[in-house]
Coordinates of all heavy atoms in Angstrom, one line a residue:
M1 N 0.9 -1.2 0.0 CA 0.0 0.0 0.0 C 0.9 1.2 0.0 O 2.0 1.2 0.4 CB -0.9 0.0 1.2 CG -1.9 -1.1 1.3 SD -3.6 -0.5 1.0 CE -3.9 -1.0 -0.7
H7 N -0.6 -1.6 7.4 CA -1.3 -2.8 7.7 C -1.0 -3.2 9.1 O 0.1 -3.5 9.4 CB -0.8 -3.9 6.7 CG -1.5 -5.2 6.8 ND1 -1.2 -6.3 6.1 CD2 -2.6 -5.6 7.6 CE1 -2.0 -7.3 6.3 NE2 -2.8 -6.9 7.3
R17 N -4.9 -6.2 30.7 CA -6.0 -6.7 31.5 C -6.6 -5.5 32.2 O -5.9 -4.6 32.6 CB -5.5 -7.8 32.5 CG -5.0 -9.1 31.9 CD -6.2 -9.9 31.3 NE -7.2 -10.2 32.3 CZ -8.3 -10.9 31.9 NH1 -8.5 -11.3 30.7 NH2 -9.3 -11.2 32.8
W18 N -7.9 -5.6 32.5 CA -8.6 -4.7 33.3 C -9.5 -5.6 34.2 O -9.6 -6.7 34.1 CB -9.4 -3.6 32.6 CG -10.5 -4.1 31.6 CD1 -10.3 -4.8 30.5 CD2 -11.8 -4.1 31.9 NE1 -11.5 -5.1 29.9 CE2 -12.5 -4.7 30.8 CE3 -12.7 -3.5 32.9 CZ2 -13.9 -4.8 30.7 CZ3 -14.0 -3.6 32.8 CH2 -14.6 -4.2 31.7
G20 N -12.6 -6.2 34.4 CA -13.6 -7.0 33.9 C -13.3 -7.8 32.7 O -14.2 -8.4 32.1
L44 N -8.5 3.9 19.4 CA -9.3 2.8 19.0 C -8.9 1.5 19.7 O -7.8 1.2 19.7 CB -9.2 2.6 17.5 CG -10.1 3.5 16.6 CD1 -9.6 3.5 15.2 CD2 -11.6 3.0 16.6
E52 N -20.7 -10.0 34.2 CA -22.1 -9.7 33.9 C -22.4 -8.2 34.2 O -23.2 -7.6 33.5 CB -23.0 -10.5 34.7 CG -23.2 -11.9 34.2 CD -23.8 -11.9 32.8 OE1 -24.5 -11.0 32.4 OE2 -23.6 -12.9 32.0
D61 N -12.6 13.9 29.7 CA -12.1 14.8 28.7 C -12.4 14.2 27.3 O -11.9 14.7 26.3 CB -10.6 14.9 28.8 CG -10.2 15.7 30.1 OD1 -11.0 16.6 30.5 OD2 -9.2 15.4 30.7
K70 N -19.5 -9.0 19.4 CA -20.1 -10.2 19.8 C -20.8 -10.0 21.1 O -20.3 -9.3 22.0 CB -19.1 -11.3 20.1 CG -18.3 -11.8 18.9 CD -17.2 -12.8 19.3 CE -16.3 -13.1 18.2 NZ -15.2 -14.0 18.6
I73 N -25.3 -5.9 25.2 CA -25.1 -5.4 26.5 C -26.2 -4.3 26.7 O -26.8 -3.8 25.8 CB -23.8 -4.7 26.7 CG1 -23.4 -3.7 25.6 CG2 -22.7 -5.8 26.7 CD1 -22.1 -2.9 25.9
D74 N -26.4 -4.0 28.0 CA -27.2 -2.9 28.4 C -26.3 -1.9 29.0 O -25.5 -2.2 29.9 CB -28.3 -3.3 29.4 CG -29.4 -4.1 28.7 OD1 -29.9 -3.7 27.7 OD2 -29.8 -5.1 29.3
G80 N -29.6 6.4 34.5 CA -30.8 6.6 33.6 C -31.3 5.3 33.2 O -31.0 4.2 33.7
A92 N -23.0 6.6 20.8 CA -22.2 7.7 21.2 C -22.6 8.2 22.6 O -23.8 8.4 22.9 CB -22.2 8.9 20.2
N109 N -14.3 0.3 20.5 CA -14.4 1.6 21.1 C -13.6 2.7 20.3 O -12.5 2.4 20.0 CB -13.8 1.6 22.5 CG -14.6 0.8 23.5 OD1 -15.6 1.3 24.1 ND2 -14.2 -0.4 23.7
L124 N -19.8 -2.1 8.5 CA -19.9 -2.4 7.1 C -20.1 -4.0 7.0 O -19.2 -4.7 7.5 CB -18.6 -2.1 6.3 CG -18.2 -0.6 6.4 CD1 -16.9 -0.4 5.7 CD2 -19.2 0.3 5.7
L126 N -20.2 -6.8 4.4 CA -19.8 -7.0 3.0 C -20.2 -8.5 2.6 O -20.2 -9.4 3.4 CB -18.3 -6.8 2.7 CG -17.8 -5.4 3.2 CD1 -16.3 -5.4 3.0 CD2 -18.4 -4.3 2.3
L133 N -15.1 3.9 0.5 CA -14.9 5.0 1.5 C -14.1 6.0 0.8 O -13.0 5.7 0.3 CB -14.2 4.4 2.7 CG -14.9 3.3 3.5 CD1 -14.0 2.8 4.6 CD2 -16.2 3.8 4.1
D136 N -12.4 13.1 0.6 CA -12.2 14.2 -0.4 C -10.9 15.0 0.2 O -10.7 15.1 1.4 CB -13.4 15.1 -0.5 CG -14.6 14.5 -1.2 OD1 -14.3 13.5 -1.9 OD2 -15.7 14.9 -0.9
G151 N -14.4 -12.8 8.8 CA -14.1 -13.1 7.3 C -12.8 -12.5 6.9 O -11.8 -12.4 7.6
A152 N -12.8 -12.1 5.6 CA -11.6 -11.4 5.0 C -12.1 -10.4 4.1 O -13.1 -10.5 3.4 CB -10.7 -12.4 4.3
C196 N -7.7 16.0 13.4 CA -6.4 15.9 14.0 C -5.8 14.5 13.5 O -6.5 13.7 13.0 CB -6.5 15.8 15.5 SG -7.4 14.4 16.2

Side-chain angles (χ1 to χ4, degrees):
M1 294 251 103
H7 184 184
R17 292 291 301 176
W18 62 286
L44 273 162
E52 281 296 336
D61 295 328
K70 294 179 190 172
I73 57 173
D74 288 317
N109 294 275
L124 304 172
L126 305 173
L133 300 174
D136 293 337
C196 64

